[in-house]
Amino acid sequence: MQVSMTVNGEEVTREIEGRLLLVHFLRDVLGLTGTHWGCDTSNCGTCVVWVDEKPVKSCTMLAAMAGGHEVRTVEGLAQNGELDPVQRGFMECHGLQCGFCTPGMMMTARALLNENPDPSPDEIREAISGQICRCTGYATIVRSVRWAAAYEADRAEAPAATTTGGAP
Amino acid sequence: MTTVDDHKPAGFEDNDQHPVGHGRMLRKEDPRFVRGRGNYVDDVQLPGMLHLAILRAPVAHARLVSIDTTAAEAHPKVKAVVTGATLEGLKLAWMPTLSNDVQAVLVTDKVRFQGQEVAFVVAEDRYSARDALELIEVEYDILDPVVDVRRALEEGAPVIRDDIEGKTDNHCFDWETGDAAATEAVFATADVVVEQDLVYPRVHPAPMETCGAVADFDPVEGRLTLWSTTQAPHAHRTLYAIVAGLPEHKIRVISPDLGGGFGNKVPIYPGYVCAVVGSIVTGKPVKWMEDRSENLVSTGFARDYVMRGEIAATRDGRILGIRTHVLADHGAFNGTAAPVKYPAGFFGVFTGSYDLEAAYCHMTAVYTNKAPGGVAYACSFRITEAVYLVERIVDCLAAELAMDPVELRLKNFIKPEQFPYTTKTGWVYDSGNYEPTMREAMRLAGYEQLRREQAEKRARGELMGIGVSFFTEAVGAGPRKHMDILGLGMADSCELRVHPTGKAVVRLSVQSQGQGHETTFAQIVGEELGIPPADVDVVHGDTDNTPFGLGTYGSRSTPVSGAAAALVARKVRDKARIVASGMLEVSADDLIWDKGSFHVAGDPSAAVTIQDIAMRAHGAGDLPEGYEGALEAQITYNPPNLTYPHGAYICVVDVDPGTAQVKVRRFVAVDDCGTRINPMIIEGQVHGGLTDGVGMALMEIIAFDEDGNCLGGSLMDYLLPTAMEVPDWETGFTVTPSPHHPIGAKGVGESATVGSPPAIVNAVVDALAPFGVRHADMPLTPSRVWDAMRGQARPPI
Ligand code: FES
Ligand code: FES
């Protein structure tokens, strides 16, 4: 069957098997390997992407079901070459180690901040509670998201102050 | 150059320092990971690549009667179907394990655990390969399984390993350490003897990335390239050469980014060998990626020790001796990934951090119809089990003596002036200063205050517990004369080149699974050469591009390869001194090193930087007599001893009296890993290990039913901690450098996994003291805690 959807702002159309999971469509067909796969039972959340701006586990959805929808993956998180504050927060606060859970964690974190720009640590923990990280122990992930929130609050107050330098 | 905004919000400023050398520094590997540009094995896509799927046994013990692959072979997308019989023809049906046992790659005679590899299919895509598995018809003659480890040696028990000639029982090995007679003498005269049965259940490391490989065999060149999830690429390459008979120089093992390892990615699994065979028989690159249940049911488990601990002491709390008997479940094959002379790993350090008069351990290991493994999950070669034993039994003694558990520990610690300290089981602890570490943990936790709070709560019927543990680890295996894996000595090499412009590349034999080697090793070299870590590239995980070494497990990277990196940089510095002496026209002995430059003694203005020196070493001018040029070196570091990090952990739990749910309210961890290279990374390692500890103590178990069915085969059944189960970790540190390590560093990657489970269990048992509970085994799930509260605590297996 043929499926068309928008992935990271670009229209894509592909011939696929009806049973193909969205996670495999993104990884194997489109080569967007930033989205990972880590379990058979929808427990790990390494596969989280956005469908119409809502985080979903892409292993629980057929690619065909995403037809006509807008999908965003970690590769589409940076805008115009500028890292999202969530990506910067994860680097600044050691929110990742092996990096396997990280794309999914960041997609959830970005969605959370879009809805709630000043989440408490408990709200952040709740938001990522369907996702597993085996490396970080979560505290630095919570801190990373808090970094992004604080950064965005500062920026909202003083939007103009930018400096130039090397990309991190 | 992109425009970036380098604003840092208030309260987070300490995150980004730019040390030239050791210090807090953001990780060099992170920019690719946060962009989704990591490169894990499953991300490798090669032209014409095929996919492999493995058929696994549905039962634990059965004779293989027949396999019919006709229908699978007829599937239009299937390229090959391979069974044990095919492999027998290639002499590849069995392979050696890391413990000198053998393991079937594919079953030829008998299934020995549920989930064992029976056949594989290579097909054009992932889904078709799985489809074809359904078309393979296998007939099994089901046998009685051996599941209960306590009954494995009973007369008449089914013999699992009838492949071993003359084998008539399920005995794997017996092992002992310490002095049985001296220990008996101490126990016979002690005022107080406390005994306790303890089970450390089977658990699984479950890294988020499962195991897998992409094999690409080039029949013309006879060259095999294997991308695989391995923590030990060089050791694997040598073993493939031995197993498959391929010449070693024609094998390239690439371990790209790994999505966690924790020891799960040390052994060679049948799946890797299947991928290689798949590529050889099809002439195409072949990818094998196991799914989560395959990972949980078939790859290296951890622990599975049934222990009896005994401790002898004087009435006033001086510990005299510890004795233990252990029954070890090794599964169907002895696949333990430990130095061969250490069949029980480093369990011999079960005397812990205490100065004893005598100690003894006797262990019996058996085969059962379960998956092989044993050493994994950040265990530092079984020190998890050893620390759990000693830290639980010391708490049992404290309860018996009605003494505060901290006071009892303080009273018995090895004193700083006793180091280097030889334990009663023969381990030479290199250094330690335990009391300040314990006191720092008490200070951070507010220990006295917590005890007061607990007394108040107890009076109100609330169940609050405070648990303490204090551990000493032994990490960084070799030296090679004592320690080897299948004959390969445990030493690691390192190569360093400084390019003409003063940038450098360092090549390592160890491989990161998330520990941040690209940062830490750049910092080690940076510290020694005075080059900013940003200017040092770290190459690892590729046998064609790195020197030989045994790899990353047992917290080896910093103690062994970290030493190699520091020493190779010093060797380069010595060469730089010669070049500088020519440039400054003075004797090399008259030069003073200033971290990044040499100057003439007495004349700081006569100086050359390491970058100037690098250019001269490659440049057109003359070099001092006998100096050939370039600025590079290689060394192999054979550690003289292990390093012995230690730590003090305090855990506070609340147990809900109505539901028996345990909540870890606070956890204070004070670690001493000697010299600290990057405190941010160290803290991250500790946080991860503490989370493992919560998982093991409260949630995780790989259990089996009486038929040998694995009951922990998915993440719905095998529960891992999420952000909801763990507190905001509180960490601290002390620094006792290793006297024999070139920079004084000790390993820290596994400390928290080793040290935290007893602190949590001690806290829960403390909370349940009003019910008269003295011990309850992990995992302390609500139902098991509920039983304990009713005086019905039972072992989990
Ligand atoms: S792959 Fe585990 S939840 Fe999707
Ligand atoms: S960083 Fe490794 S799983 Fe989260």
Side-chain angles (χ1 to χ4, degrees):
Chain A
M1 64 177 288
Q2 204 180 57
V3 66
S4 297
M5 66 184 87
T6 311
V7 178
N8 298 330
E10 270 179 50
E11 198 62 36
V12 298
T13 300
R14 292 290 189 279
E15 197 60 43
I16 58 162
E17 266 189 84
R19 61 175 172 169
L20 185 69
L21 294 174
L22 180 58
V23 62
H24 289 138
F25 178 73
L26 294 169
R27 290 181 49 81
D28 294 349
V29 179
L30 300 185
L32 293 171
T33 54
T35 300
H36 297 141
W37 171 91
C39 73
D40 322 318
T41 48
S42 303
N43 290 97
C44 77
T46 59
C47 61
V48 168
V49 301
W50 289 0
V51 175
D52 300 334
E53 311 208 338
K54 292 270 175 276
V56 301
K57 289 178 170 170
S58 62
C59 70
T60 60
M61 193 168 173
L62 296 170
M65 292 158 71
H69 293 275
E70 284 193 29
V71 175
R72 188 162 295 276
T73 70
V74 65
E75 289 90 346
L77 204 48
Q79 297 290 318
N80 310 318
E82 186 94 16
L83 287 182
D84 189 277
V86 167
Q87 292 171 299
R88 291 191 51 199
F90 271 70
M91 293 199 292
E92 291 280 344
C93 299
H94 196 26
L96 68 150
Q97 290 183 28
C98 76
F100 206 75
C101 71
T102 314
M105 291 286 182
M106 293 193 305
M107 295 311 288
T108 301
R110 181 68 263 165
L112 170 69
L113 291 176
N114 290 351
E115 298 224 324
N116 175 1
D118 187 23
S120 68
D122 282 348
E123 287 170 328
I124 297 168
R125 284 178 186 272
E126 172 116 36
I128 59 168
S129 64
Q131 291 166 249
I132 297 170
C133 175
R134 296 293 283 147
C135 304
T136 64
Y138 304 105
T140 56
I141 294 181
V142 172
R143 192 167 154 85
S144 301
V145 181
R146 289 292 312 152
W147 189 99
Y151 172 90
E152 286 176 352
D154 283 7
R155 275 289 155 267
E157 269 172 34
T162 57
T163 53
T164 54
Chain B
M1 186 168 288
T2 344
T3 304
V4 294
D5 176 349
D6 61 5
H7 173 76
K8 305 214 188 289
F12 293 93
E13 295 84 354
D14 70 329
N15 282 339
D16 194 8
Q17 298 167 5
H18 298 280
V20 178
H22 304 165
R24 192 177 179 99
M25 172 183 147
L26 300 196
R27 298 200 324 167
K28 296 176 63 178
E29 39 276 88
D30 288 355
R32 71 171 182 276
F33 289 132
V34 299
R35 287 171 171 85
R37 289 203 199 155
N39 185 34
Y40 304 89
V41 169
D42 199 19
D43 300 345
V44 174
Q45 295 272 15
L46 300 177
M49 189 174 77
L50 303 173
H51 293 263
L52 185 149
I54 294 177
L55 181 72
R56 292 176 183 277
V59 292
H61 201 190
R63 203 151 290 286
L64 189 62
V65 178
S66 66
I67 303 189
D68 183 352
T69 58
T70 330
E73 277 159 29
H75 187 289
K77 292 195 170 173
V78 166
K79 299 293 177 193
V81 183
V82 172
T83 64
T86 331
L87 292 188
E88 247 172 352
L90 301 166
K91 299 216 178 337
L92 283 176
W94 293 81
M95 61 176 190
T97 69
L98 297 182
S99 281
N100 269 331
D101 193 358
V102 290
Q103 172 173 3
V105 176
L106 293 178
V107 170
T108 52
D109 53 345
K110 205 170 81 165
V111 169
R112 292 181 172 84
F113 66 91
Q114 187 192 42
Q116 193 180 352
E117 298 78 1
V118 174
F120 71 80
V121 167
V122 183
E124 284 172 22
D125 60 82
R126 290 178 204 266
Y127 292 14
S128 302
R130 296 265 160 174
D131 288 346
L133 293 184
E134 310 269 316
L135 301 174
I136 300 176
E137 303 267 354
V138 189
E139 198 187 323
Y140 297 104
D141 180 8
I142 296 185
L143 304 169
D144 283 340
V146 178
V147 181
D148 183 347
V149 64
R150 296 174 185 87
R151 302 184 57 188
L153 293 179
E154 272 178 9
E155 194 81 25
V159 179
I160 299 166
R161 295 302 302 279
D162 50 358
D163 58 297
I164 302 171
E165 225 181 278
K167 192 84 183 141
T168 54
D169 60 19
N170 295 311
H171 182 253
C172 183
F173 65 82
D174 263 59
W175 174 82
E176 62 174 356
T177 187
D179 186 331
T183 308
E184 179 51 37
V186 159
F187 271 77
T189 54
D191 301 342
V192 184
V193 170
V194 176
E195 301 177 358
Q196 181 61 53
D197 286 326
L198 306 155
V199 174
Y200 209 135
R202 178 176 282 234
V203 288
H204 195 281
M208 287 326 295
E209 178 205 34
T210 57
C211 299
V214 176
D216 186 10
F217 183 72
D218 174 345
V220 178
E221 299 278 335
R223 235 187 119 73
L224 170 70
T225 308
L226 185 70
W227 286 261
S228 68
T229 48
T230 169
Q231 299 174 218
H234 288 279
H236 278 200
R237 183 190 60 190
T238 306
L239 294 178
Y240 289 123
I242 293 168
V243 176
L246 293 168
E248 195 169 4
H249 66 297
K250 298 277 192 183
I251 304 174
R252 178 180 183 189
V253 175
I254 301 173
S255 177
D257 288 323
L258 294 185
F262 320 111
N264 191 222
K265 294 169 180 170
V266 178
I268 290 188
Y269 293 120
Y272 302 150
V273 179
C274 292
V276 172
V277 172
S279 182
I280 291 174
V281 300
T282 60
K284 292 273 171 53
V286 167
K287 179 184 281 183
W288 164 67
M289 228 32 240
E290 66 187 5
D291 64 28
R292 176 58 60 190
S293 54
E294 294 182 279
N295 177 253
L296 288 168
V297 304
S298 75
T299 66
F301 74 92
R303 329 291 188 246
D304 222 346
Y305 270 18
V306 174
M307 306 183 273
R308 174 161 196 81
E310 298 169 78
I311 189 165
T314 61
R315 175 65 46 209
D316 64 350
R318 200 163 60 77
I319 305 173
L320 303 170
I322 297 180
R323 182 161 58 187
T324 178
H325 291 270
V326 180
L327 185 56
D329 187 342
H330 277 238
F333 306 101
N334 187 10
T336 298
V340 289
K341 293 182 196 116
Y342 296 78
F346 297 170
F347 185 78
V349 300
F350 68 88
T351 55
S353 314
Y354 311 106
D355 185 21
L356 311 177
E357 290 180 8
Y360 177 70
C361 166
H362 178 260
M363 178 179 297
T364 300
V366 299
Y367 292 116
T368 60
N369 285 113
K370 301 173 195 169
V375 166
Y377 208 168
C379 72
S380 300
F381 298 123
R382 303 276 195 191
I383 297 178
T384 31
E385 290 93 319
V387 166
Y388 182 69
L389 171 87
V390 58
E391 290 306 291
R392 270 304 295 133
I393 195 93
V394 164
D395 252 43
C396 291
L397 176 66
E400 178 73 24
L401 297 172
M403 223 172 138
D404 182 281
V406 169
E407 195 191 324
L408 179 60
R409 286 174 171 84
L410 285 170
K411 191 175 175 113
N412 288 283
F413 279 154
I414 301 163
K415 303 280 175 288
E417 60 277 11
Q418 289 177 281
F419 291 94
Y421 177 86
T422 305
T423 70
K424 290 291 179 272
T425 48
W427 298 75
V428 183
Y429 290 10
D430 65 344
S431 58
N433 191 3
Y434 297 161
E435 184 169 340
T437 311
M438 187 74 247
R439 298 234 179 257
E440 176 65 0
M442 293 167 75
R443 185 187 70 80
L444 288 173
Y447 186 72
E448 306 303 332
Q449 175 62 31
L450 284 172
R451 285 287 176 206
R452 280 195 292 277
E453 180 191 340
Q454 181 185 37
E456 284 162 22
K457 289 206 159 139
R458 263 192 194 159
R460 294 201 297 267
E462 291 173 42
L463 304 177
M464 168 183 168
I466 304 161
V468 175
S469 75
F470 194 98
F471 65 89
T472 300
E473 272 210 283
V475 300
R480 67 193 327 156
K481 74 167 182 250
H482 299 315
M483 295 181 194
D484 67 274
I485 302 269
L486 289 186
L488 299 172
M490 300 188 82
D492 282 75
S493 303
C494 187
E495 245 172 59
L496 174 63
R497 276 184 214 167
V498 184
H499 303 310
T501 56
K503 315 285 182 194
V505 56
V506 61
R507 297 169 192 277
L508 311 174
S509 54
V510 291
Q511 168 61 352
S512 174
Q513 310 120 49
Q515 298 94 327
H517 288 181
E518 289 164 48
T519 308
T520 300
F521 283 85
Q523 292 188 264
I524 293 172
V525 170
E527 177 78 23
E528 300 299 327
L529 282 186
I531 298 178
D535 290 355
V536 183
D537 214 21
V538 175
V539 176
H540 54 173
D542 178 350
T543 54
D544 268 11
N545 287 305
T546 56
F548 188 85
L550 270 262
T552 298
Y553 41 86
S555 298
R556 295 183 77 244
S557 290
T558 300
V560 186
S561 269
L567 292 179
V568 82
R570 287 177 196 172
K571 205 164 165 184
V572 163
R573 196 165 78 200
D574 291 342
K575 290 189 173 181
R577 179 185 289 272
I578 298 171
V579 178
S581 74
M583 293 169 79
L584 294 166
E585 299 180 339
V586 292
S587 147
D589 298 339
D590 291 336
L591 293 173
I592 310 281
W593 173 249
D594 287 327
K595 196 173 176 179
S597 62
F598 284 104
H599 73 259
V600 177
D603 181 6
S605 67
V608 284
T609 66
I610 191 85
Q611 290 81 6
D612 301 335
I613 296 167
M615 186 55 88
R616 172 60 76 96
H618 295 85
D622 267 344
L623 291 168
E625 184 80 25
Y627 193 96
E628 284 177 19
L631 192 54
E632 56 191 49
Q634 156 150 24
I635 71 148
T636 300
Y637 183 75
N638 181 26
N641 186 8
L642 299 156
T643 64
Y644 291 79
H646 66 267
Y649 291 176
I650 297 177
C651 175
V652 182
V653 300
D654 296 307
V655 179
D656 184 324
T659 64
Q661 175 102 27
V662 176
K663 177 156 184 60
V664 178
R665 190 208 313 167
R666 287 182 66 197
F667 201 107
V668 173
V670 177
D671 274 274
D672 189 324
C673 59
T675 302
R676 292 155 58 84
I677 299 160
N678 185 329
M680 178 187 85
I681 288 179
I682 291 171
E683 186 177 71
Q685 295 294 294
V686 172
H687 284 192
L690 297 175
T691 306
D692 292 345
V694 169
M696 285 179 277
L698 304 182
M699 306 161 73
E700 300 172 23
I701 182 168
I702 300 282
F704 294 82
D705 71 10
E706 60 196 15
D707 296 326
N709 293 309
C710 178
L711 304 177
S714 82
L715 295 184
M716 291 218 268
D717 307 294
Y718 186 65
L719 302 181
L720 299 172
T722 72
M724 304 301 281
E725 284 83 36
V726 296
D728 202 7
W729 310 110
E730 301 168 65
T731 57
F733 65 94
T734 54
V735 177
T736 311
S738 167
H740 64 77
H741 188 277
I743 57 176
K746 303 175 178 181
V748 74
E750 301 170 316
S751 293
T753 315
V754 167
S756 58
I760 301 164
V761 175
N762 287 345
V764 175
V765 171
D766 185 48
L768 302 183
F771 297 91
V773 173
R774 193 178 81 167
H775 176 71
D777 282 316
M778 301 183 280
L780 293 165
T781 57
S783 71
R784 296 178 45 75
V785 172
W786 185 261
D787 288 346
M789 285 159 70
R790 266 138 203 83
Q792 288 160 7
R794 63 200 147 82
I797 55 168

